[in-house]
Amino acid sequence: MSSHYRIVAFDLDDTLAPSKSPLPKRMANALVELLNRADVCIISGGNVDQFERQILDHLEADTEVLERLHLMPTCGTRYLRYQEEAWTTVYAHDLSEEERDSAIAALTERAKELGYWETETWGDVIEDRGSQITFSALGQSAPIEAKRAWDPDGSKKEALREAVADELPELEVRSGGSTSIDITATGVDKAFGITRLSEYTGVAFDDMIFVGDRLDPGGNDYPVVALGCKTVHVKDWEETAEFVEKLVSVFPAR
């Protein structure tokens, strides 16, 4: 296993942690060990609050370590760094009010039309994240078991994504997590975020490695494949933890 990578980037849900769940202790410990050796980027469709609940609240790291962590919520439409003992926004590409209203209306109408607007939900079904509108069929806080049972083959989500994309050709409509759809400005996906990361840090793609659970064509991690950085497909956070632990074993500590 190579130790030349300067940035190790990760998807969040089902890669570093179960969907919408906190970092498991093993994964948190492995990430801190990795941050002692290299920069780490986490890029996900989740918003800033979700990053805090799932990641930051569970990392036992000092200032020097946190300064090597790059956070890219909402598919890289936002970029945060830890500077002067506070998380600072490097950039944010927010949608206009008109774009957000159109996205919310299209998701609501098409979901109801297709019969995918559920009556039993856990939390908000549609969330306005400023730079991204996210639809979660069962709500933001739905149990993992319920999410897996709702659309095991992804056909419901894809049918809704196609219907909404046809209605919103001026926006990017993509598959998110197991029951979610994300809408951002056109051309904004994880490849966009990783490209901005390279530009801001000066680290070339071949000095990065990206780890995700949806690297298959159509998956929300797939856009990173074309960039030229090495990618690693994992099936769950346990597999990611094993990979990171092996990576740490060949990385020299700083």
Side-chain angles (χ1 to χ4, degrees), residues 26-156:
R26 178 187 174 189
M27 190 71 255
N29 290 341
L31 273 184
V32 172
E33 287 300 316
L34 182 59
L35 282 161
N36 281 317
R37 292 159 170 80
D39 280 29
V40 169
C41 172
I42 301 174
I43 181 168
S44 167
N47 61 14
V48 175
D49 289 344
Q50 185 178 329
F51 272 55
E52 290 178 354
R53 293 193 305 271
Q54 287 190 258
I55 303 166
L56 299 180
D57 289 349
H58 308 280
L59 283 183
E60 297 178 5
D62 58 25
T63 296
E64 184 179 354
V65 168
L66 290 175
E67 287 175 349
R68 291 197 285 271
L69 181 58
H70 307 253
L71 299 183
M72 290 190 149
T74 51
C75 294
T77 57
R78 294 179 183 272
Y79 178 26
L80 288 81
R81 296 295 306 277
Y82 196 73
Q83 299 171 340
E84 299 181 358
E85 300 189 356
W87 286 100
T88 303
T89 300
V90 178
Y91 69 68
H93 298 291
D94 286 343
L95 296 169
S96 69
E97 183 177 356
E98 181 180 357
E99 288 171 329
R100 299 199 305 272
D101 288 346
S102 296
I104 291 170
L107 285 166
T108 303
E109 291 166 8
R110 298 291 80 75
K112 290 180 177 179
E113 181 180 88
L114 291 167
Y116 300 157
W117 191 267
E118 302 294 338
T119 55
E120 183 180 358
T121 57
W122 294 262
D124 294 335
V125 172
I126 296 180
E127 186 179 1
D128 183 347
R129 299 176 176 175
S131 54
Q132 177 177 292
I133 303 298
T134 295
F135 169 89
S136 299
L138 299 177
Q140 287 295 318
S141 303
I144 294 172
E145 295 75 14
K147 289 182 178 182
R148 289 173 178 165
W150 185 76
D151 188 23
D153 64 356
S155 59
K156 291 181 180 179

Side-chain angles (χ1 to χ4, degrees), residues 152-196:
D153 64 356
S155 59
K156 291 181 180 179
K157 189 170 57 172
E158 180 56 23
L160 179 57
R161 189 204 65 77
E162 287 185 1
V164 173
D166 288 344
E167 188 169 337
L168 302 173
E170 73 284 2
L171 295 174
E172 193 81 32
V173 183
R174 74 179 63 80
S175 172
S178 55
T179 63
S180 65
I181 291 171
D182 299 324
I183 300 179
T184 64
T186 299
V188 175
D189 53 23
K190 289 184 180 176
F192 170 90
I194 297 297
T195 299
R196 299 289 86 74

